[in-house]
Each structure stands twice: as structure tokens, then as C-alpha cells.
Amino acid sequence: MRSRRLKGITGSASLGAQSALVILLLLTSGCRSLDATQVKAASGFTFVNEQLAPEPASQITASAQKVKLAQDYLAVTANPYATAAATKILAEGGSAIDAAIAAQMVLGLVEPQSSGLGGGGFLLFWDAKNQQLSSYDGRETAPLGADENLFLKAGDGQPVGFVEALIGGRSVGVPGMVHMLGRAHDQHGIIEWPLLFDDAIELAENGFTVSERLSTLIKKVPALQARPQMARYLYPDGQGLLQGGLLKNKDYALSLKTLAAGGPNAFYYGAMVEAMVAVVGDDANPGQLSMRDFSQYQSVLRKPVCKLIFAYRFCGMGPPSSGATTVLSILTMLESLEIEARHNPSLVSAGVAGDAVLAHAFIEASRLAFADRNKYLADPDFVSVPVVGLLEADYLSQRASMIDLARRSKLTPPGSPSAVDADAFMTGLSLELPSTTHLTIMDASGNIVSMTNSIETAFGSRLMSGGFILNNQLTDFSFAPMDASSQKIANRVQGGKRPLSSMSPMIVFDAKNQPVLALGSPGGRSIISYVARVLYEVLVLGQSLPQSIAAGHVVEAGNKVRVESAVSEDTVKALGDMGHVLDVREQTSGIHAIYKTSLGWQGVADPRREGTASGR
Ligand code: GLU
């Protein structure tokens, strides 16, 4: 293996100087949000399961690799290969950013359905030396030539069906992940950029073992063969890849070598771009991505959204992600309800899944928070998003006072935060289907990365270029640009705009402003429920992190509440009695977290997926 060269000694690659089923419904103001089933029913669109790569039902599996106690450094990622690549970099003195890049390049190979070079995401970085938190926005952008008609039928102007929008070039946004990682590496990398690609290149050239999860997905969705490159890659000889088989990806190895040698700019100028633009533009369902869209792409360093709740400072990604704003809104409403103070003493062990009053409060707070999310949140470069007003204590305690702790509210309309013309915002809804990946890494200097990356739905647009899958992130926009009264919806498609996201990478700080917990998850809009529940149970109730992550999820889903079978029967029954319609089904969260305990830092990988935790 080549010895690791450090940045600054031999220089580094640089970005800087060189240059749902969304049928977004027209919900009238004041309407409650709808779940997927309702959206389908309302739109007349049929959900084509075979084409949408449902994630395999999760089995809770215990494994020694799921929990790791460490003193120096720690990596928790969605796949053992990626965790190994990250810990190797950390052992060599690399920073959390270096390790995150090495791990992400491996994830793009071994977990290609979830994230990769063809996607985007959000990254939080805690700089221990300077005691500073940064948040990076690497969200995809719509082509500059796109407009609000992108997902409307030419004839009647109605939104197209989800599959019609999804498969092919039309749903592909400019991938932002490479730009984001390049920018973060410029600022916080230690090891030289080209060396971060070694492990991924080696695995792509010599092969990796196909995991059960990848092979199950491929088996379930023969329609993934809709496009020839993906068909050739995932179904060699017409057969879906089998678990345990060795898979090589020479095209991906070549792409990685190009990026390693050319730096992040090699992704935004030149041959790689030409190839992606051609794949998107020549498709039967073409998109409008151009070379100019790539050369103009910029990741953005944004101000993190932080709020003091329950004596902790919770920080996360602001718009265009709705993640932190919605999670913080839920937690603030729970704080104002003071459930844990006035409820039963066994709440710690019970958690949300084992206590009906708490579960109910959690659901109702989530419904109120989502109502605001669906109305007010969008790309802040296009819409003046009232994040401050939405998180004001008075506003949220007034919202929380609408919660009846004995029964489900009939309506949970969006509110009117201060200093906002509420009538200027129209409620929209987009359904984000679960795919995506989250990793959390801490290096030996105490720097922390909490990063969520995605190509949107599993296997993205079904288009491949250079050995990686291109995202379908544009389906996170509202398909419909206006509501029934012809008022514009904040999250409508506009050229160069970023679609609204639910990704929720978070880092939480104690009273001395030191990090205590960092986490995130895949799961579309369910991410918000997964993350909010675990933060509440661990930091407020005092549950252990592994216990909380493995406990049954309770997920706000419009008119329904999705609960896992691990949620106690008593809770399910009581929730039903309070008026909730329950949909019992397993979830595919992939919560990857680190937590400061009295014994050291504890890394935990979600038992529902194949992730692992490792460190020293
Ligand atoms: N596209 C979704 C978002 O940006 C993520 C999809 C997922 O997590 O599966 O929030």
C-alpha cells in the first residue's frame, strides 16, 4: 500500500480556485397532510410496486459488529466494507472528513442502490479544535432549463405518474455529493485527496462480495432492467446478482481514478460530464441536464439550524433539508408538553413504543410539525423560509397546546409563525421513497462527521454512467406547481433549484457546547420520525442508544401511523382507541450513531440493515 501523504506536504486536489410518489397534491391551505395511499387515491395513480424497489422487510439482527465502544476514533456506516475503509484512514491519522470520503466511495460500490457519485446529500462537521460546527449542502439542483412543467403532462397539465417521472433522465438532478466532499476536504481534510480512493478502487477492480440486501433488492425488482446499463450490471447473463457472488465494476474504478487524479472538478468538467449528459439526454424519457448545469453547480456552506431543547443544543441541516427544522419542532413541542415529567416512572424502559400517551404525543407533535414543513420549507435560495419563526418557543408552545393528550386531532393545520405572510405559502406534499445512507464518524482529534447521502429512491433513475447510478432526486419536488386556487407552492420545480429533503444529519451538544450524540438515517420522510424518537429517548428519557435504535418505530404517515411489530400490543391498542389508524409494518431505518457515555464513545449501527461500527 502506498504510504499516506498529508495535505499541505504535497498539495491537495482543490475545488475552489479552479473554477411518491410525489404527486404533489394541491392541498388547500389548512388541509392536513396526506399519506402515500391518499395521494395515490387522489391522483388516480397506481403504485407500481414491481418498479419501485421496496426495501426488504427488516429483521432485527444482533451482531457484535453493531455496537462498538471506543476511546480514540469511531466509524459507523451502512456496510462493513465502508466501515473498514473509514477505520483504516482514521488509524493512519486521517480526519473524520478523510474517513467519510473513503467510506462514501466504497458505499457507492457496495451499496449502489442507496447513494453514490450520482447523488447528493448533506454533511455536518464538528471542528473540535476551533469548536465550530459547519453544515454543507450538496443537494442536487434542477437543470437550469427546467421549469414547473417538468412533471406535468403536456395534454391536460396534470402531474405525471411517479414511475413515469422516475425512470429515465427526467428525474436526474445535478449530483452534488462530489462537490460537497471536495469543499469539506479542502477545509478539513488531512490526507491527500487521491489517496482516499485507494480502497474503493481496489474493491471495484478486484471485486466485492454481494450482500444479502443488495441481492434481495435485485431479485424483487426485475423492472430494474428497464435500462440497458443497469440490466447488464445487475443482471449479468439475465440473472440477478446472487448473494455471496463476487462483483467487479471496472467502469466505477475508472471513474474513481479520474476523480482521484483530477480532483472534484473532474466530476463537473470534461469527459465524465459529457457521458452523464448524454445518458440523461438520449434517454427515452429525457432530461435537460447540460454541461453548463455541471460547471455552475456549487455546494453551499450553510448556517446550521440549532436550538436549545431539554438542556441540549440540537443542531442539524437547514433548508433545503426539512430535517433539522422538523425534528427540532417535534422535540420542542414534546418539551412544552412535559410528558416525561408528569407521566409514569417506567417511561425510561418503555420509550415511545411502550407508552401510549408518549407515543400519541409524539405522533401529534409530528403531525403539527409536518403540516408546517409541507407548507413553508423549500430551497432557501428561492423561497424565504421562516425557519426562525417556525422554531420560536412561543409559537411552538401554542402549537403544542392544540394537542389533546387523550385523542387524535381531526385536523392539524399549518400554523402562522410570526413575521410571516402565511397566505403566501401553499401546502405541498412529496413522497420520498426510502433509500439513502447515513454515516457518522469521529476522528482521534474529536472532529465529527454526520453525513446523509442519497440517490433518492432505491436504484435512483435506473440510469448508469461511469459505473454509478444517477439520482432521481428531482421527484422530491412538488410535481404540481400550484394549489387549487392557482397559488404557487414553495417546493415547485424551478431551474437551478434544490428539491426539499428530509435528510436529518444531526449533532447534539451539552451545556458546555461539547458534542454528545451524532446520528442520522435513511428512510425518506420517515427519517424525521426515526431521528426525533431516538434523540428524545436517549437524551431525555435516558435510554441506552442500542435499545432505542432497536425499539419499534412509530412513524407519522399522514392519515396513518406506521408502527413496527416491536411496538407493544398495549400501545397499539391504546393508539387505536385514541383514533389513530395504525399500519403495522417493519421499517428500514439505517440509524448510524455515536454517543458519548461514561465509558467512552459508543458507536451503534441499526440492526435493521447491514451496517457496522468499528473503532479503537
Ligand atoms: N430523497 C429523500 C430526501 O432527500 C431521501 C430518500 C431516502 O431517505 O430514502 O429526503
Side-chain angles (χ1 to χ4, degrees), residues 107-178:
L107 286 170
L109 176 71
V110 300
E111 197 200 24
Q113 70 275 18
S114 296
S115 71
L117 299 179
F122 300 102
L123 187 158
L124 296 188
F125 182 79
W126 168 246
D127 177 341
K129 186 164 161 235
N130 296 307
Q131 297 280 290
Q132 199 177 10
L133 181 70
S134 313
S135 66
Y136 295 83
D137 166 357
R139 185 69 162 168
E140 294 87 340
T141 51
L144 293 165
D147 62 26
E148 61 190 42
N149 298 313
L150 182 67
F151 294 124
L152 299 183
K153 289 183 207 154
D156 58 8
Q158 291 302 303
V160 298
F162 185 70
V163 172
E164 201 183 318
L166 163 81
I167 299 180
R170 180 156 36 165
S171 63
V172 182
V174 185
M177 186 188 78
V178 175

Coordinates of all heavy atoms in Angstrom, one line a residue, residues 107-178:
L107 N -19.1 2.9 -0.4 CA -20.6 2.7 -0.3 C -21.2 2.8 -1.7 O -22.1 2.1 -2.1 CB -21.2 3.8 0.6 CG -21.0 3.6 2.1 CD1 -21.5 4.8 2.9 CD2 -21.8 2.3 2.6
G108 N -20.6 3.7 -2.5 CA -21.1 3.9 -3.9 C -21.0 2.6 -4.7 O -21.7 2.4 -5.7
L109 N -20.1 1.7 -4.3 CA -19.8 0.4 -5.0 C -20.7 -0.7 -4.3 O -21.4 -1.4 -5.0 CB -18.3 0.1 -4.8 CG -17.9 -1.2 -5.4 CD1 -18.0 -1.2 -7.0 CD2 -16.5 -1.6 -5.0
V110 N -20.6 -0.8 -3.0 CA -21.2 -2.0 -2.4 C -22.6 -1.8 -2.0 O -23.4 -2.8 -1.8 CB -20.4 -2.4 -1.1 CG1 -18.9 -2.7 -1.5 CG2 -20.4 -1.3 -0.1
E111 N -23.1 -0.6 -1.9 CA -24.5 -0.2 -1.6 C -25.0 0.7 -2.7 O -25.5 1.8 -2.4 CB -24.5 0.4 -0.2 CG -25.9 0.4 0.4 CD -26.1 1.4 1.5 OE1 -25.3 2.4 1.6 OE2 -26.9 1.3 2.4
P112 N -24.9 0.3 -4.0 CA -25.1 1.3 -5.0 C -26.6 1.8 -5.1 O -26.9 2.8 -5.7 CB -24.7 0.5 -6.3 CG -25.0 -0.9 -5.9 CD -24.7 -1.0 -4.5
Q113 N -27.5 1.0 -4.5 CA -28.9 1.4 -4.6 C -29.2 2.6 -3.7 O -30.2 3.2 -3.9 CB -29.7 0.2 -4.1 CG -29.7 -0.1 -2.6 CD -28.5 -1.0 -2.2 OE1 -27.6 -1.2 -2.9 NE2 -28.6 -1.6 -1.0
S114 N -28.3 2.9 -2.8 CA -28.6 4.0 -1.8 C -28.0 5.3 -2.1 O -28.6 6.4 -1.9 CB -28.2 3.5 -0.4 OG -28.9 2.4 -0.1
S115 N -26.7 5.3 -2.5 CA -26.0 6.6 -2.6 C -24.8 6.4 -3.6 O -24.5 5.3 -4.0 CB -25.5 7.1 -1.3 OG -24.4 6.3 -0.8
G116 N -24.2 7.5 -3.9 CA -23.0 7.3 -4.8 C -22.7 8.6 -5.5 O -23.2 9.7 -5.2
L117 N -21.7 8.5 -6.4 CA -21.2 9.7 -7.1 C -22.4 10.4 -7.8 O -22.4 11.6 -8.0 CB -20.2 9.3 -8.2 CG -18.9 8.7 -7.6 CD1 -18.0 8.3 -8.8 CD2 -18.2 9.6 -6.7
G118 N -23.4 9.7 -8.2 CA -24.5 10.2 -9.0 C -25.6 10.9 -8.1 O -26.6 11.2 -8.6
G119 N -25.3 11.1 -6.8 CA -26.3 11.6 -5.9 C -25.8 12.8 -5.2 O -24.9 13.5 -5.5
G120 N -26.6 13.1 -4.1 CA -26.2 14.3 -3.3 C -26.5 14.1 -1.8 O -26.9 13.0 -1.5
G121 N -26.3 15.1 -1.0 CA -26.5 14.9 0.4 C -26.2 16.1 1.2 O -26.0 17.2 0.7
F122 N -26.1 15.8 2.5 CA -25.8 16.9 3.5 C -24.8 16.4 4.5 O -24.9 15.2 4.9 CB -27.1 17.3 4.2 CG -28.2 17.8 3.3 CD1 -29.2 17.0 2.9 CD2 -28.1 19.1 2.8 CE1 -30.2 17.5 2.1 CE2 -29.1 19.6 1.9 CZ -30.2 18.8 1.6
L123 N -23.9 17.3 4.9 CA -22.8 16.9 5.8 C -22.7 17.9 6.9 O -22.6 19.1 6.7 CB -21.6 16.8 5.0 CG -20.3 16.3 5.6 CD1 -19.3 15.8 4.4 CD2 -19.5 17.3 6.4
L124 N -22.6 17.4 8.2 CA -22.3 18.3 9.3 C -20.9 18.0 9.7 O -20.5 16.8 9.8 CB -23.2 18.0 10.5 CG -24.7 18.3 10.4 CD1 -25.3 18.1 11.8 CD2 -25.0 19.6 9.9
F125 N -20.1 19.0 10.0 CA -18.8 18.8 10.5 C -18.5 19.6 11.8 O -18.7 20.8 11.8 CB -17.7 19.2 9.4 CG -16.3 18.9 9.9 CD1 -15.8 17.7 9.8 CD2 -15.5 19.9 10.4 CE1 -14.5 17.4 10.2 CE2 -14.2 19.7 10.8 CZ -13.7 18.4 10.7
W126 N -18.1 18.8 12.8 CA -17.7 19.5 14.1 C -16.2 19.6 14.1 O -15.5 18.5 14.1 CB -18.3 18.7 15.3 CG -17.7 19.2 16.6 CD1 -16.8 18.4 17.4 CD2 -17.9 20.4 17.2 NE1 -16.5 19.2 18.5 CE2 -17.1 20.4 18.5 CE3 -18.6 21.6 16.9 CZ2 -17.1 21.5 19.3 CZ3 -18.6 22.7 17.8 CH2 -17.8 22.6 19.0
D127 N -15.7 20.8 14.2 CA -14.3 21.1 14.2 C -13.9 21.2 15.7 O -14.2 22.3 16.3 CB -14.0 22.3 13.4 CG -12.6 22.8 13.4 OD1 -11.8 22.3 14.3 OD2 -12.2 23.6 12.5
A128 N -13.3 20.2 16.2 CA -13.1 20.2 17.7 C -12.1 21.2 18.1 O -12.2 21.9 19.2 CB -12.5 18.8 18.1
K129 N -11.1 21.5 17.3 CA -10.0 22.5 17.6 C -10.6 23.9 17.7 O -10.4 24.6 18.6 CB -8.9 22.4 16.6 CG -7.7 23.2 16.9 CD -6.5 22.9 16.1 CE -5.5 24.0 16.2 NZ -5.1 24.5 14.8
N130 N -11.4 24.2 16.7 CA -11.9 25.6 16.6 C -13.3 25.7 17.2 O -13.9 26.7 17.2 CB -12.0 26.0 15.2 CG -10.6 26.2 14.6 OD1 -9.7 26.8 15.2 ND2 -10.3 25.5 13.5
Q131 N -13.8 24.5 17.7 CA -15.1 24.5 18.4 C -16.2 25.1 17.5 O -16.9 25.9 17.9 CB -15.0 25.2 19.7 CG -14.1 24.6 20.7 CD -14.7 23.4 21.4 OE1 -15.6 23.6 22.2 NE2 -14.2 22.2 21.1
Q132 N -16.2 24.6 16.3 CA -17.1 25.2 15.3 C -17.8 24.1 14.5 O -17.3 23.1 14.1 CB -16.3 26.0 14.3 CG -17.1 27.0 13.6 CD -16.3 27.8 12.6 OE1 -15.1 27.6 12.4 NE2 -16.9 28.9 12.1
L133 N -19.1 24.3 14.3 CA -19.9 23.4 13.6 C -20.2 24.0 12.2 O -20.7 25.2 12.1 CB -21.3 23.2 14.3 CG -22.2 22.2 13.6 CD1 -21.7 20.7 13.7 CD2 -23.6 22.2 14.2
S134 N -20.0 23.2 11.1 CA -20.4 23.7 9.8 C -21.4 22.7 9.2 O -21.4 21.5 9.5 CB -19.1 23.6 8.9 OG -18.0 24.2 9.5
S135 N -22.2 23.2 8.3 CA -23.1 22.3 7.6 C -23.0 22.6 6.1 O -23.0 23.7 5.6 CB -24.6 22.4 8.0 OG -25.1 23.7 7.7
Y136 N -22.8 21.5 5.3 CA -22.6 21.5 3.9 C -23.8 21.0 3.2 O -24.3 19.9 3.5 CB -21.4 20.7 3.5 CG -20.0 21.2 4.1 CD1 -19.7 20.8 5.4 CD2 -19.2 21.9 3.3 CE1 -18.4 21.3 5.9 CE2 -18.0 22.4 3.8 CZ -17.6 22.0 5.1 OH -16.4 22.5 5.6
D137 N -24.2 21.7 2.2 CA -25.4 21.4 1.4 C -24.9 20.9 0.0 O -24.4 21.7 -0.8 CB -26.3 22.6 1.2 CG -27.3 22.4 0.2 OD1 -27.4 21.4 -0.5 OD2 -28.1 23.4 0.0
G138 N -24.9 19.6 -0.2 CA -24.6 19.0 -1.5 C -25.8 18.5 -2.2 O -25.7 17.4 -2.9
R139 N -26.9 19.1 -2.1 CA -28.2 18.7 -2.7 C -28.1 18.9 -4.2 O -27.6 19.9 -4.7 CB -29.3 19.5 -2.1 CG -30.7 19.1 -2.5 CD -31.1 17.8 -1.9 NE -32.5 17.6 -1.9 CZ -33.1 16.4 -1.7 NH1 -32.4 15.3 -1.4 NH2 -34.4 16.2 -1.7
E140 N -28.8 18.0 -4.9 CA -28.9 18.1 -6.4 C -29.7 19.4 -6.7 O -30.5 19.8 -6.0 CB -29.6 16.9 -7.0 CG -28.8 15.6 -6.8 CD -29.1 14.9 -5.5 OE1 -29.6 15.5 -4.6 OE2 -28.9 13.7 -5.5
T141 N -29.4 19.9 -7.9 CA -30.2 21.0 -8.4 C -30.9 20.6 -9.7 O -30.4 19.7 -10.4 CB -29.3 22.2 -8.8 OG1 -28.2 21.8 -9.6 CG2 -28.7 22.9 -7.5
A142 N -32.0 21.2 -9.9 CA -32.7 21.0 -11.2 C -31.9 21.7 -12.3 O -31.2 22.7 -12.1 CB -34.1 21.7 -11.1
P143 N -32.0 21.1 -13.5 CA -31.3 21.8 -14.6 C -31.8 23.2 -14.8 O -32.9 23.5 -14.5 CB -31.8 20.9 -15.9 CG -32.3 19.6 -15.3 CD -32.7 19.9 -13.9
L144 N -30.9 24.1 -15.2 CA -31.2 25.5 -15.4 C -32.4 25.6 -16.4 O -33.2 26.6 -16.3 CB -30.0 26.3 -15.8 CG -28.9 26.4 -14.7 CD1 -27.6 26.8 -15.3 CD2 -29.4 27.3 -13.6
G145 N -32.5 24.7 -17.3 CA -33.5 24.8 -18.3 C -34.9 24.2 -17.9 O -35.9 24.3 -18.6
A146 N -34.9 23.7 -16.7 CA -36.2 23.1 -16.2 C -37.1 24.2 -15.6 O -36.7 25.2 -15.2 CB -35.9 22.0 -15.1
D147 N -38.4 23.9 -15.7 CA -39.4 24.8 -15.0 C -40.5 24.0 -14.4 O -40.4 22.7 -14.4 CB -39.9 25.8 -16.0 CG -40.7 25.2 -17.2 OD1 -41.2 24.1 -17.0 OD2 -40.8 25.8 -18.2
E148 N -41.5 24.7 -13.9 CA -42.5 24.0 -13.1 C -43.3 23.0 -13.9 O -44.1 22.3 -13.3 CB -43.4 25.1 -12.5 CG -44.1 25.9 -13.5 CD -44.8 27.1 -12.8 OE1 -44.2 27.7 -11.9 OE2 -46.0 27.4 -13.2
N149 N -43.2 23.0 -15.2 CA -43.9 22.0 -16.0 C -43.2 20.6 -16.1 O -43.7 19.7 -16.8 CB -44.1 22.5 -17.4 CG -44.9 23.8 -17.4 OD1 -45.9 23.8 -16.8 ND2 -44.4 24.8 -18.1
L150 N -42.0 20.5 -15.4 CA -41.2 19.3 -15.6 C -42.0 18.0 -15.5 O -41.8 17.1 -16.2 CB -40.0 19.3 -14.6 CG -39.0 18.2 -14.7 CD1 -38.3 18.2 -16.0 CD2 -38.1 18.2 -13.5
F151 N -42.8 18.0 -14.5 CA -43.6 16.7 -14.2 C -45.1 16.8 -14.5 O -45.9 16.2 -13.9 CB -43.3 16.3 -12.8 CG -41.9 15.9 -12.5 CD1 -41.2 16.5 -11.4 CD2 -41.3 14.9 -13.2 CE1 -39.9 16.1 -11.2 CE2 -39.9 14.6 -12.9 CZ -39.3 15.2 -11.9
L152 N -45.4 17.7 -15.5 CA -46.8 17.8 -15.9 C -47.0 17.2 -17.3 O -46.1 17.3 -18.1 CB -47.2 19.3 -15.9 CG -47.1 20.0 -14.5 CD1 -47.6 21.5 -14.7 CD2 -47.9 19.3 -13.4
K153 N -48.1 16.6 -17.5 CA -48.5 16.1 -18.8 C -48.7 17.2 -19.8 O -49.3 18.2 -19.4 CB -49.7 15.2 -18.7 CG -49.6 13.9 -18.0 CD -50.9 13.2 -18.0 CE -51.0 12.3 -16.8 NZ -52.4 11.9 -16.4
A154 N -48.2 17.0 -21.0 CA -48.3 18.0 -22.0 C -49.8 18.3 -22.3 O -50.2 19.5 -22.4 CB -47.6 17.6 -23.3
G155 N -50.6 17.3 -22.3 CA -52.0 17.5 -22.7 C -52.9 18.3 -21.7 O -53.2 19.4 -21.9
D156 N -53.1 17.6 -20.5 CA -54.1 18.2 -19.6 C -53.4 19.0 -18.4 O -54.1 19.5 -17.5 CB -55.0 17.1 -19.0 CG -54.2 16.0 -18.3 OD1 -53.0 16.2 -18.1 OD2 -54.8 15.0 -17.9
G157 N -52.1 19.0 -18.5 CA -51.4 19.8 -17.4 C -51.4 19.1 -16.0 O -51.0 19.7 -15.1
Q158 N -51.9 17.9 -16.0 CA -51.9 17.2 -14.7 C -50.5 16.5 -14.4 O -49.8 16.2 -15.4 CB -53.0 16.1 -14.7 CG -54.4 16.6 -14.8 CD -54.7 17.5 -13.6 OE1 -54.6 17.1 -12.4 NE2 -55.1 18.7 -13.8
P159 N -50.2 16.3 -13.2 CA -49.0 15.7 -12.8 C -48.8 14.3 -13.5 O -49.8 13.5 -13.5 CB -49.0 15.5 -11.3 CG -49.9 16.6 -10.9 CD -51.0 16.7 -11.9
V160 N -47.7 13.9 -13.9 CA -47.4 12.6 -14.5 C -47.4 11.6 -13.3 O -47.2 12.0 -12.2 CB -46.1 12.5 -15.3 CG1 -46.2 13.4 -16.5 CG2 -44.9 12.8 -14.4
G161 N -47.5 10.3 -13.6 CA -47.4 9.3 -12.6 C -45.9 9.2 -12.1 O -45.0 9.6 -12.8
F162 N -45.8 8.6 -10.9 CA -44.4 8.6 -10.3 C -43.4 7.8 -11.1 O -42.3 8.3 -11.3 CB -44.5 8.1 -8.9 CG -43.2 8.2 -8.1 CD1 -42.7 9.4 -7.7 CD2 -42.5 7.0 -7.9 CE1 -41.5 9.5 -7.1 CE2 -41.3 7.1 -7.2 CZ -40.8 8.4 -6.8
V163 N -43.8 6.7 -11.6 CA -42.9 5.8 -12.3 C -42.5 6.5 -13.6 O -41.3 6.5 -14.0 CB -43.5 4.4 -12.6 CG1 -42.6 3.6 -13.5 CG2 -43.7 3.7 -11.2
E164 N -43.4 7.1 -14.2 CA -43.2 7.9 -15.5 C -42.1 9.0 -15.2 O -41.3 9.3 -16.0 CB -44.5 8.5 -16.0 CG -44.5 8.8 -17.4 CD -45.8 9.5 -17.8 OE1 -46.9 9.0 -17.3 OE2 -45.8 10.5 -18.5
A165 N -42.3 9.6 -14.1 CA -41.3 10.7 -13.7 C -40.0 10.1 -13.3 O -38.9 10.7 -13.7 CB -41.9 11.5 -12.6
L166 N -40.0 9.0 -12.6 CA -38.8 8.5 -12.0 C -37.8 7.8 -13.0 O -36.6 8.2 -13.0 CB -39.2 7.4 -11.0 CG -38.2 6.4 -10.5 CD1 -37.4 7.0 -9.4 CD2 -38.8 5.1 -10.0
I167 N -38.3 6.9 -13.9 CA -37.4 6.1 -14.7 C -36.9 6.9 -15.9 O -37.7 7.4 -16.7 CB -38.0 4.8 -15.1 CG1 -38.4 4.0 -13.9 CG2 -37.1 4.0 -16.0 CD1 -39.1 2.7 -14.2
G168 N -35.6 7.1 -16.0 CA -35.0 7.8 -17.1 C -34.4 9.2 -16.7 O -34.2 9.4 -15.5
G169 N -34.1 10.0 -17.7 CA -33.3 11.2 -17.5 C -34.1 12.3 -16.8 O -33.5 13.2 -16.3
R170 N -35.4 12.3 -16.9 CA -36.2 13.5 -16.5 C -36.0 13.8 -15.0 O -36.1 14.9 -14.6 CB -37.7 13.2 -16.8 CG -38.5 14.3 -16.4 CD -39.8 14.5 -17.0 NE -40.6 13.4 -17.4 CZ -41.9 13.5 -17.8 NH1 -42.5 14.6 -17.7 NH2 -42.6 12.4 -18.2
S171 N -35.8 12.7 -14.2 CA -35.8 12.9 -12.7 C -34.4 13.3 -12.2 O -34.2 13.5 -11.0 CB -36.3 11.7 -12.0 OG -35.4 10.6 -12.3
V172 N -33.4 13.3 -13.1 CA -32.0 13.4 -12.6 C -31.6 14.9 -12.4 O -31.7 15.7 -13.3 CB -31.0 12.8 -13.7 CG1 -29.6 12.9 -13.2 CG2 -31.4 11.4 -14.0
G173 N -31.1 15.2 -11.2 CA -30.6 16.5 -10.8 C -29.1 16.5 -10.9 O -28.5 15.4 -11.0
V174 N -28.5 17.7 -10.9 CA -27.0 17.7 -10.9 C -26.5 17.1 -9.6 O -26.8 17.6 -8.5 CB -26.5 19.2 -11.0 CG1 -25.0 19.2 -11.2 CG2 -27.2 19.9 -12.2
P175 N -25.7 16.1 -9.7 CA -25.2 15.4 -8.4 C -24.3 16.4 -7.7 O -23.4 16.9 -8.2 CB -24.5 14.2 -8.9 CG -24.9 14.0 -10.3 CD -25.3 15.3 -10.9
G176 N -24.6 16.5 -6.4 CA -23.8 17.5 -5.6 C -22.8 16.9 -4.6 O -22.0 17.6 -4.0
M177 N -22.8 15.6 -4.5 CA -22.0 15.0 -3.4 C -20.5 15.2 -3.6 O -19.8 15.6 -2.6 CB -22.3 13.5 -3.3 CG -21.6 12.8 -2.2 SD -21.7 11.0 -2.2 CE -20.5 10.6 -3.4
V178 N -20.0 15.0 -4.8 CA -18.6 15.2 -5.0 C -18.1 16.6 -4.7 O -17.1 16.8 -4.1 CB -18.2 14.8 -6.5 CG1 -16.7 15.0 -6.7 CG2 -18.5 13.3 -6.7

